[in-house]
Amino acid sequence: MPSSTTPVKTAVVTGASSGIGAATARALRAAGFRLVLGARRQERLQQVAEPLGAVWRRLDVTDPRSVEDFAAAVAGCHLLVNNAGAALGLEPIAEARDDRWEEMYRLNVLGVLRMTRALLPKLLASGDGHVIIVGSTSGFEVYPGGAGYTASKHALRAVTKTLRLELLGRPVRVTDVSPGLVETEFSLVRHGGDAERARAAYQGMTPLEAEDVAACIVFAATRPPHVDIDEIVVRSRDQASSTQIHRRPPGTAGPAR
Ligand code: NAP
């Protein structure tokens, strides 16, 4: 918590209804931030927000009107955590579905663009703004079946790096936090609700937890204003790359959490 002389900062977190976004909201609250949380599933969002005393509002980052309304309702903003995102499907390029590729691009790239553009005036006006973008190791690497998602996260990384260049000399920091495998609803969403396929992604290995990524986000957010953490790439000990994952036989203990 900040001392009585430290002004309370406001953080906006997108995709705060589950996974990394929900964990980030809890961790930022514990670090003393005031919160404004957004996502589409209002009941889930409310469950995250209410115990934290957070302001919450329905937000669909793929809908320009929703983003405008959300941003207009934010009184002031020091920190924007662009976390909302998803992978849809795992088809090879030969079988790629245009609708899924378009949706991933709208969500993972245009959603971040729109949120950042809408809140930038408030981030600048704060005098000490910060945009944290949840990228992915898929912004650095590729894997078979992952082209739609990896292309969107590579594009997002280009946006993040460009933003940092464009904001040079202005009081807004830009940080890319890029995790490897994290056990959230991500895999369930990717496989259209198929729990068995979703579980297979983590089988025999110990993935990151949402809280591990939230801790990286809070670390970046709580550095002094002159320190810009440029990129954090974080993976579980069992993952060396997108395709090289150490999986143990059933019943074998993994690393302690
Ligand atoms: P998750 O549990 O599925 O959370 C995704 C969040 O994004 C949810 O809160 C979801 O809320 C929100 N969201 C989805 N579409 C949205 C939209 N159109 N507008 C607003 N919010 C939307 O998965 P997660 O792992 O926490 O994912 C968070 C971020 O981490 C994503 O950007 C993902 O690409 C990235 N990431 C995840 C992993 C991983 O292995 N889990 C690895 C690397 C990077 P609603 O459905 O309620 O809108």
Side-chain angles (χ1 to χ4, degrees), residues 2-224:
S3 75
S4 55
T5 53
T6 317
V8 177
K9 292 182 173 181
T10 299
V12 169
V13 182
T14 70
S17 59
S18 66
I20 295 167
T24 298
R26 289 190 283 271
L28 286 171
R29 182 71 201 105
F33 283 80
R34 190 186 292 136
L35 298 170
V36 183
L37 308 180
R40 294 166 306 173
R41 291 170 296 173
Q42 297 184 75
E43 210 175 302
R44 292 281 301 268
L45 191 58
Q46 188 175 7
Q47 282 167 9
V48 174
E50 282 193 351
L52 304 176
V55 173
W56 61 274
R57 192 182 170 95
R58 187 183 186 279
L59 169 67
D60 181 347
V61 299
T62 67
D63 174 358
R65 182 69 193 273
S66 174
V67 172
E68 276 167 35
D69 291 349
F70 183 94
V74 174
C77 181
H78 295 81
L79 170 63
L80 166 61
V81 183
N82 276 308
N83 164 75
L88 302 174
L90 203 49
E91 301 89 4
I93 289 169
E95 293 155 29
R97 284 179 41 172
D98 292 26
D99 58 337
R100 291 182 170 169
W101 278 58
E102 282 166 6
E103 182 60 15
M104 285 189 276
Y105 203 82
R106 264 197 300 273
L107 173 58
N108 298 336
V109 186
L110 291 173
V112 172
L113 160 71
R114 292 196 180 106
M115 284 302 298
T116 306
R117 186 177 56 197
L119 285 173
L120 204 47
K122 289 172 187 171
L123 289 159
L124 287 163
S126 77
D128 180 19
H130 196 167
V131 181
I132 298 184
I133 292 169
V134 180
S136 170
T137 49
S138 294
F140 294 75
E141 299 168 357
V142 296
Y143 52 92
Y149 181 61
T150 58
S152 73
K153 289 291 187 178
H154 273 72
L156 176 58
R157 190 152 165 260
V159 173
T160 306
K161 290 166 77 171
T162 306
L163 185 65
R164 186 137 195 270
L165 294 177
E166 292 176 356
L167 290 174
L168 181 65
R170 307 181 82 184
V172 180
R173 294 178 279 166
V174 179
T175 299
D176 170 2
V177 176
S178 281
L181 281 169
V182 192
E183 195 163 12
T184 62
E185 293 171 27
F186 177 85
S187 197
L188 198 62
V189 171
R190 164 167 250 169
H191 296 297
D194 182 334
E196 205 171 314
R197 284 191 79 193
R199 265 197 305 275
Y202 312 114
Q203 202 155 11
M205 56 91 65
T206 304
L208 295 174
E209 295 179 324
E211 287 72 18
D212 300 320
V213 183
C216 294
I217 291 170
V218 171
F219 175 77
T222 53
R223 294 313 87 205

